[in-house]
Amino acid sequence: MSSRLFAISFDAHQPERLARFWSGVLGLERAGDPYDGVALLSANDAGYRVGFRPSRARKAAQNRLHFDLTSSCREDQQETVARALGLGAQHADVGQGPDAPHVVLADPEGNEFCVLEPGNGFLAGCGSLGALACDGSQAVGYFWSEALGWPLVWDQDEETAVQSPNGGTKITWGGPPRMPDPGKDLHFDLAPEDDQQAEVERLLSLGARRLGSAHGGDGPVLLADPDGNEFRVLTRR
């Protein structure tokens, strides 16, 4: 038994506005969302959606999770950056330095993301959403490999990465030390393949921690992974 990654979701003060930004940057189409919030099809072999769920959380630090966008050539990288800036992004300084070949931007709600230089062999064939880069431990990489049924494609020097057997976006963890909780971030939404409660129990046995129910009863169940990152186990629809 495992969960399907239904969505990688942003905490969003204005879900519709943020969805329009990311749709414009990446050319993603709107998807129906049987849960709360707004969703886009990721157009990615990994099969997840990009979600925007309403949240009042305030961003207090750099995101622990961010997307790395790939580029086919230098002109493609420049065009992506220009398109994002035209849609409301801003340049961001996360300590990358003036000579970094990648460009760090922040979307209209301050979520950092990188537009990578061409020639990144590790993300070759992953699509435009090449990676979800996460600040986290080796243990949490192992946890998510088991939780999603995605094999490890990197495990070295406390850095880990997983990828769907179908390909697409890689999810990576950079090892210690971890950054402080940003308050407002990206999260995983999981769709259980069978019974929600049975899947919750399986995830707890792997090292997750129960936080509660998103709606105080019959709805998504809130859990935290071994690093304390909140995620949701959705109901079957």
Side-chain angles (χ1 to χ4, degrees):
M1 184 189 302
S2 65
S3 291
R4 175 172 58 89
L5 180 59
F6 177 79
I8 297 171
S9 293
F10 290 80
D11 289 334
H13 296 160
Q14 299 182 62
E16 287 283 356
R17 180 189 179 205
L18 204 56
R20 286 195 299 271
F21 170 83
W22 282 97
S23 175
V25 170
L26 296 170
L28 303 181
E29 296 182 0
R30 183 76 171 258
D33 190 347
Y35 307 97
D36 57 315
V38 182
L40 304 174
L41 295 173
S42 67
N44 190 287
D45 291 339
Y48 63 88
R49 302 180 186 195
V50 180
F52 307 87
R53 66 188 200 193
S55 172
R56 295 182 180 179
R58 294 295 172 184
K59 183 173 166 63
Q62 180 182 331
N63 288 33
R64 283 184 179 173
L65 289 74
H66 71 268
F67 279 120
D68 286 340
L69 311 186
T70 60
S71 302
S72 60
C73 61
R74 178 67 174 166
E75 290 74 17
D76 182 39
Q77 182 188 30
Q78 293 171 338
E79 288 173 3
T80 300
V81 170
R83 185 164 59 253
L85 292 172
L87 290 167
Q90 295 183 343
H91 286 279
D93 183 359
V94 296
Q96 69 270 27
D99 298 325
H102 61 283
V103 179
V104 183
L105 301 174
D107 71 19
E109 293 201 8
N111 302 295
E112 299 89 1
F113 63 100
C114 296
V115 184
L116 302 183
E117 69 280 8
N120 187 307
F122 182 64
L123 300 183
C126 291
S128 58
L129 285 167
L132 180 72
C134 308
D135 182 57
S137 66
Q138 184 182 53
V140 87
Y142 292 168
F143 168 82
W144 282 108
S145 178
E146 290 288 336
L148 297 175
W150 288 16
L152 287 163
V153 294
W154 182 264
D155 185 9
Q156 185 173 317
D157 300 327
E158 298 191 82
E159 297 180 353
T160 52
V162 300
Q163 186 179 31
S164 166
N166 297 321
T169 300
K170 291 179 177 177
I171 304 177
T172 71
W173 291 269
R178 287 193 298 127
M179 294 184 293
D181 183 354
K184 179 175 181 286
D185 211 338
L186 286 76
H187 304 278
F188 296 152
D189 290 336
L190 307 187
E193 294 182 349
D194 196 2
D195 178 70
Q196 181 197 41
Q197 188 54 46
E199 180 59 7
V200 167
E201 294 300 325
R202 186 184 76 90
L203 294 166
L204 292 173
S205 74
L206 294 175
R209 176 168 53 92
R210 188 188 295 270
L211 298 178
S213 174
H215 299 291
D218 184 20
V221 175
L222 300 181
L223 301 178
D225 69 20
D227 277 358
N229 302 299
E230 178 186 307
F231 66 97
R232 301 193 303 176
V233 182
L234 306 172
T235 54
R236 294 191 68 195
R237 296 289 174 89

